[in-house]
Amino acid sequence: MTPSRRQTARRRTTVLRRRAVLATVPVAVAALLGAAAPTAPGTAGAPGAGDPYFPLSGNGGYHVGHYDLTLRYDTATRHLDGRAVLTARATQRLSRFDLDLTGLKVTAVTVDRTPAAFRRDGQELVVTPRRTLPAGHAFEIAVGYQGTPQPVTDPDGSRDGWIPTDDGAFVAGEPQGAMTWFPANAHPRDKSSYDFTLTVPQGRTAVANGELLSQRTAHGRTTFHWREPRPMAAYLATATIGTFQVQRSTTPDGIRIYNAVDPREASSAAPVLKKLPSVLAWESKLFGPYPYRSAGAIVDHAPDVGYALETQTRPVYDAAPDLATLVHESAHQWFGDSVSLTAWKDIWLNEGFATYAEWLYAEQHGGDSAQKTFDALYASPAGDALWAYPPGDPGSGKNLFGTPVYARGAMALHELRGAVGDGPFFRILRAWAAEHRDGHGTTAQFTRLAQRVSGKRLDGLFHTWLYTKGKPNTA
Ligand code: TRP
Ligand code: ZN
């Protein structure tokens, strides 16, 4: 959808509480007392991953390799029964650690199959295992939980997470909604594989990321087992539920497509979804091979959501998308999903790239040239919202999805293309996707890569387009 439509969010301030971290004290005390303490206490994992925009998103002290989520959702009562089994590794000697989880009732927590103490503190589920975990220790966390999931309201006023609909739920976790439906290390710095076992009333369909491994109906309920084997950030997980028409196919490249479409959106969605294979093929030519084996679309009827999300392998749309939106969410599979952020501040690496993909698609399919789109935007007067803040430094979580990030972020890429030429520009995009595939990338890494591939000094260009306040002077 267009940046302006993405921006319809109402404003509301969210107050994030920060807990005092006294993590280093026990270690310091142990050191003062001399080495031999046999019951060395270890340290507590930090309550956040260190992101200034969302200080409590993610956690310190461990990484999650795999999530195994078993969920049963009653669409009539909106009751969720969940069990999450996380396979993790301690990155420090760990006496205690947090998971992100908001709302819901936790019924039991075990660590390595042994009951662990836990308490809730805002969005933190604080877990104290019976024994301190050695640094490097591989361990298993199991959490039983239940309740009525509620979405979170983001700093920009939009809602994300588990959003109930009239026939199920629209599930999209950017930037912080994963914690509304499963206990997670919910920051894109931590990427993991996932299994989803989703049980819903017979007649409803539950759609997650990756591949559908099995589907079984018994006693009036259907269980869907989905698996995403590639590393995925928690915000890109979905378990969207509704009454859906399902279409499956395989592209000539062997990508398996699974589309789930709300019947109320089916006639408008059909002509756009028909183009998904050709959009993926076109993007693969431009950006390098599609990063996944599965693809598709979840087209819900969720009139009060107001956005689509690039959920990994299978974006979720609040209504039948237009072609530009399909191109946008598909481009995110390379830029945002396969190559992930390490900090929300770098959001232009997702949205500027996906928006520029829309411009390129138009240019190569009989629409406006990217230059024409750039020129029309550049004509916006200095007081326009487009110039309200620089895309490389949005300043706060409430600016993540604003026009400067989407449109001026794309303008920055267009300026780069103009400065280095088409050949080097597309080599830069392909190298970015290839070198950071299934991993992470920062703005500094991108600008270094652009200079390396092009052989040009580009710091002035990036400084102007990414970091300078107000409308850049291009003369
Ligand atoms: N990343 C989404 C996209 O560009 C948009 C999005 C996700 C969003 N969550 C949001 C927009 C919350 C506004 C508010 O496709
Ligand atoms: Zn986007």
Side-chain angles (χ1 to χ4, degrees), residues 182-341:
F182 65 99
N185 193 22
H187 190 276
R189 293 179 82 102
D190 205 32
K191 298 174 72 165
S192 324
S193 55
Y194 284 72
D195 272 82
F196 305 86
T197 305
L198 309 172
T199 300
V200 294
Q202 183 172 1
R204 303 292 156 92
T205 300
V207 193
N209 316 83
E211 200 67 22
L212 179 62
L213 299 183
S214 70
Q215 172 179 339
R216 282 194 191 91
T217 299
H219 313 296
R221 296 184 177 275
T222 306
T223 299
F224 297 83
H225 182 184
W226 292 90
R227 175 173 294 158
E228 173 49 58
R230 315 298 317 173
M232 175 164 81
Y235 80 90
L236 296 170
T238 190
T240 293
I241 296 162
T243 304
F244 294 131
Q245 297 171 355
V246 170
Q247 314 148 346
R248 309 178 73 155
S249 59
T250 303
T251 72
D253 294 339
I255 300 164
R256 285 185 293 267
I257 294 189
Y258 182 108
N259 292 333
V261 181
D262 187 301
R264 292 165 286 186
E265 303 292 335
S267 61
S268 348
V272 180
L273 294 189
K274 223 172 60 198
K275 299 210 160 146
L276 179 58
S278 68
V279 166
L280 294 176
W282 174 80
E283 291 182 340
S284 303
K285 215 171 63 217
L286 238 53
F287 308 145
Y290 178 69
Y292 308 113
R293 301 277 304 155
S294 322
I298 308 167
V299 181
D300 205 346
H301 179 78
D304 52 355
V305 170
Y307 60 85
L309 180 65
E310 62 269 24
T311 39
Q312 189 159 306
T313 68
R314 191 165 293 107
V316 59
Y317 301 91
D318 59 332
D322 59 18
L323 184 55
T325 304
L326 188 87
V327 168
H328 179 108
E329 306 309 338
S330 299
H332 274 309
Q333 302 305 311
W334 285 259
F335 308 116
D337 292 10
S338 175
V339 184
S340 293
L341 304 178

Side-chain angles (χ1 to χ4, degrees), residues 342-384:
T342 59
W344 287 110
K345 178 186 199 280
D346 283 340
I347 185 70
W348 85 279
L349 291 172
N350 293 7
E351 302 305 346
F353 283 55
T355 302
Y356 199 61
E358 295 177 51
W359 300 10
L360 290 168
Y361 190 88
E363 175 171 283
Q364 297 189 18
H365 293 82
D368 288 348
S369 67
Q371 187 63 45
K372 188 170 173 195
T373 307
F374 178 97
D375 291 342
L377 284 163
Y378 192 70
S380 312
D384 194 274

